[in-house]
């Protein structure tokens, strides 16, 4: 709770500061292959504040890319492994539909839904997407699968609530009686009720084009918090992703990182890296 409160205060300070002087942060991730420049999104203030705090303090220095999967992502920032600790701090999810897992996306690692249903992020571990390119048909299929998966999740949550126990008992009875018509009819009624509050996941035409031309990992969208992106040094991702790995996708040779934080005017960031801010600079 203290960590979340301090992050909230820090994120407010950062947002007010950036709005006041129209400046923003660029974080340089130094690797043995070269540098990656990373920009962090204002729309994910808790993750932005946390990342800046860890980068500025030097806590990220001497961590490694400890998990690397080619055509998927490169993961780093395990401060606990570096310091020999087991910190259970998390950051509340900040899932923004405006940001997808395109190549170069910076996102927070997290534990699985079975023990982390609210999709809270790791306090330190992050990954950078490499991914791959897709056809238009494949992207449409992913979109359909994501919506179906969300509907199934909502159905499971609905049917296991205590107030909906009568419907669950009816479904179980229909199955035991081998009455598929009644079973399917009740399922349809429940799904209609769920869909009344269901907001479909849809990719914009531009997002689809990004996955087709630039690439990424669309199956992670709306599951993990994307809080920034690489604005320079995309080729470094490919070089890190290509290293030889051992069991657990851990690189055979340690790939250490250090970080440097600088503050630039938003106009300069746009000029240098081509990033257009959503709001007026």
């Amino acid at each position: 709770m203290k960590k979340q409160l301090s992050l909230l205060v820090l994120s407010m300070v950062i947002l007010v500061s950036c709005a006041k002087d129209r400046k923003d942060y660029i974080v340089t991730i130094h690797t043995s292959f070269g540098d990656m420049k990373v920009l962090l999104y204002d729309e994910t203030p808790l993750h932005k504040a946390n990342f800046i705090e860890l980068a500025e303090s030097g806590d990220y220095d001497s961590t490694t890319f400890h998990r690397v999967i080619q055509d998927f992502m490169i993961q780093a920032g395990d401060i606990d492994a570096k310091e020999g600790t087991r910190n259970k701090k998390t950051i509340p999810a900040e899932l923004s539909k405006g940001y997808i897992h395109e190549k170069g996306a910076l996102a927070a690692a997290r534990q699985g839904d079975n023990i982390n249903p609210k999709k809270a992020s790791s306090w330190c571990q992050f990954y950078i997407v490499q991914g791959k390119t897709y056809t238009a048909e494949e992207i449409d299929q992913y979109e359909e699968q994501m919506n179906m998966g969300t509907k199934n999740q909502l159905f499971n949550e609905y049917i296991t609530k205590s107030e909906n126990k009568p419907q669950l008992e009816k479904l179980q009875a229909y199955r035991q009686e081998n009455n598929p018509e009644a079973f399917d009819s009740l399922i349809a009624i429940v799904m209609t009720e769920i869909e009344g509050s269901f907001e479909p996941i849809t990719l914009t035409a531009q997002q689809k084009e990004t996955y087709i031309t630039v690439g990424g990992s669309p199956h992670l969208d709306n599951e993990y918090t994307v809080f920034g992106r690489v604005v320079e040094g995309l080729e470094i991702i490919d070089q890190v992703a290509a290293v030889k790995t051992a069991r657990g996708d851990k690189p055979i040779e340690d790939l250490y990182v250090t970080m440097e934080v600088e503050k630039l005017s938003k106009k300069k960031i746009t000029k240098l890296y081509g990033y257009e801010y959503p709001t007026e600079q």
Side-chain angles (χ1 to χ4, degrees):
M1 180 63 71
K2 287 183 178 179
K3 174 68 174 177
Q4 292 181 10
L5 181 59
S6 64
L7 277 178
L8 181 59
V9 173
L10 181 57
S11 66
M12 291 175 64
V13 170
I14 288 175
L15 289 175
V16 170
S17 174
C18 289
K20 183 178 179 180
D21 57 17
R22 298 184 182 279
K23 289 186 177 182
D24 202 358
Y25 295 87
I26 291 291
V27 180
T28 301
I29 303 176
H30 301 289
T31 78
S32 56
F33 292 105
D35 296 342
M36 289 179 282
K37 302 280 187 180
V38 174
L39 178 140
L40 308 171
Y41 299 134
D42 289 338
E43 291 77 10
T44 52
L46 297 178
H47 286 74
K48 179 172 185 171
N50 182 69
F51 194 82
I52 291 171
E53 180 183 15
L54 295 177
E56 284 188 323
S57 66
D59 286 340
Y60 273 140
D61 293 350
S62 297
T63 58
T64 65
F65 284 104
H66 62 274
R67 184 168 177 245
V68 168
I69 304 176
Q70 193 162 24
D71 296 328
F72 182 32
M73 60 89 218
I74 57 177
Q75 186 169 331
D78 191 352
I79 296 172
D80 285 329
K82 182 185 79 168
E83 298 182 347
T85 56
R86 296 189 66 181
N87 200 316
K88 295 184 179 181
K89 292 182 294 188
T90 59
I91 306 172
E94 295 180 293
L95 302 175
S96 173
K97 294 182 180 179
Y99 298 117
I100 60 173
H101 281 78
E102 63 187 294
K103 183 175 182 179
L106 173 68
R110 67 174 178 85
Q111 292 183 306
D113 288 352
N114 57 326
I115 57 175
N116 180 28
K118 293 185 178 181
K119 307 183 191 302
S121 301
S122 163
W123 75 284
C124 61
Q125 291 193 44
F126 63 90
Y127 61 91
I128 300 173
V129 176
Q130 182 192 32
K132 61 181 182 179
T133 57
Y134 294 83
T135 65
E137 291 75 16
E138 287 173 329
I139 292 301
D140 288 340
Q141 289 174 3
Y142 267 117
E143 197 172 60
E144 183 177 343
Q145 289 170 4
M146 284 188 290
N147 282 307
M148 183 58 66
T150 302
K151 286 182 181 180
N152 289 337
Q153 181 179 346
L154 291 173
F155 176 83
N156 290 333
E157 292 174 357
Y158 176 93
I159 207 66
T160 54
K161 289 181 178 178
S162 57
E163 62 265 31
N164 297 323
K165 187 177 180 181
Q167 282 117 315
L168 176 60
E169 291 175 343
K170 283 184 179 180
L171 287 173
Q172 292 171 335
Y174 292 150
R175 176 163 287 175
Q176 290 176 349
E177 297 166 4
N178 193 23
N179 189 343
E181 292 82 6
F183 183 89
D184 291 343
S185 177
L186 183 53
I187 288 286
I189 292 172
V190 172
M191 291 305 296
T192 299
E193 185 170 341
I194 290 173
E195 288 173 353
S197 59
F198 172 68
E199 187 176 349
I201 298 169
T202 57
L203 295 172
T204 66
Q206 183 178 354
Q207 289 172 336
K208 290 182 179 181
E209 184 66 18
T210 297
Y211 279 134
I212 293 169
T213 59
V214 178
S217 298
H219 63 284
L220 299 179
D221 287 346
N222 303 295
E223 295 294 327
Y224 296 78
T225 296
V226 174
F227 63 96
R229 82 179 197 203
V230 174
V231 291
E232 183 177 286
L234 282 174
E235 70 280 1
I236 305 302
I237 303 172
D238 297 330
Q239 294 178 61
V240 174
V243 301
K244 292 183 179 180
T245 58
R247 180 177 296 181
D249 304 309
K250 179 176 170 45
I252 294 174
E253 296 184 7
D254 287 333
L255 302 175
Y256 291 100
V257 305
T258 57
M259 295 194 190
E260 181 181 352
V261 181
E262 59 183 326
K263 202 172 183 183
L264 303 173
S265 72
K266 290 185 175 182
K267 287 185 177 179
K268 187 170 184 179
I269 290 174
T270 297
K271 182 178 180 180
L272 289 175
Y273 307 113
Y275 178 75
E276 297 289 344
Y277 284 88
T279 56
E280 183 183 354
Q281 299 177 7

